[in-house]
Amino acid sequence: MRGLRGKDTRHVVYNLHVHLVFVTKYRRKAFTDAMLTRAEEIMWEVCADFEAELKQFNGEQDHVHLLVHYPQKVQLSKLVNSLKDVSSRRLRQEYNAHVRRHLWGGHFWSGSHFAGSCGGAPLTVVKQYIENQQRPA
C-alpha cells in the first residue's frame, strides 16, 4: 500500500481532495487582488490547523476556489465552517472600510458553498481551472 499516492497511516491509505467554492454574500464584488492574496494566506493557516494542505487557491471579485488535500479524520463540514468563519472575521477586521462598502449585516460569505470530490477529475484539470480565474486588477 505504500506505493499509492497520498498519506498512509497504520491501516489506511487515503488521498482526499476537495474543490471548494465560497461566494460572497449577495454575490457582491467585494474582493480586490490584495484581499484575495490575504484570503489565501488565512485559508492556508486554517488548513494547516486541520493538518490539511491548501494545494491551490484563486478567485474573482465575488468568489474563491480552493483545492484542499485533507486527512480522513477531518470532518469536511468543520473545515469549511472554520475556513469561512476565520476568513470572514479577519478580512472584515483588516479591510473594514472596503468590506463595509460592499457587504453589510455582519455577513461576508453566502450561507451556501460548493464542495466537490476530486476523485474523478484529474487534479491537473481542477488546478488549471482554478489558475484561470479572472482576478480583479
Side-chain angles (χ1 to χ4, degrees):
M1 291 214 290
R2 290 194 180 272
L4 295 176
R5 289 179 45 183
K7 301 284 185 179
D8 95 51
T9 62
R10 188 169 173 204
H11 301 286
V12 178
V13 175
Y14 62 89
N15 191 22
L16 303 172
H17 288 85
V18 64
H19 175 201
L20 299 171
V21 181
F22 303 149
V23 178
T24 58
K25 188 75 172 177
Y26 312 115
R27 271 312 278 235
R28 294 287 186 175
K29 297 182 184 306
F31 277 109
T32 64
D33 184 60
M35 287 177 69
L36 285 171
T37 298
R38 183 62 181 128
E40 180 178 8
E41 294 167 356
I42 293 165
M43 292 185 181
W44 187 91
E45 292 171 8
V46 171
C47 285
D49 288 344
F50 279 81
E51 298 178 24
E53 183 180 359
L54 181 61
K55 294 288 216 175
Q56 195 75 34
F57 177 95
N58 209 347
E60 295 185 3
Q61 290 178 312
D62 62 354
H63 68 279
V64 296
H65 290 263
L66 299 84
L67 178 61
V68 179
H69 182 249
Y70 64 100
Q72 66 164 359
K73 67 182 178 181
V74 169
Q75 288 183 8
L76 190 55
S77 60
K78 288 186 178 182
L79 175 60
V80 166
N81 288 339
S82 188
L83 286 165
K84 289 173 78 174
D85 289 347
V86 173
S87 62
S88 175
R89 185 175 60 253
R90 290 195 191 165
L91 290 171
R92 283 186 161 284
Q93 288 171 348
E94 297 173 23
Y95 297 92
N96 186 41
H98 177 80
V99 171
R100 284 184 16 190
R101 279 196 303 270
H102 297 278
L103 298 163
W104 52 88
H107 300 285
F108 189 91
W109 299 112
S110 165
S112 59
H113 65 274
F114 168 80
S117 169
C118 295
L123 292 177
T124 55
V125 171
V126 177
K127 283 184 177 181
Q128 186 177 33
Y129 176 73
I130 294 172
E131 284 175 2
N132 289 329
Q133 293 295 298
Q134 300 298 313
R135 285 181 85 108

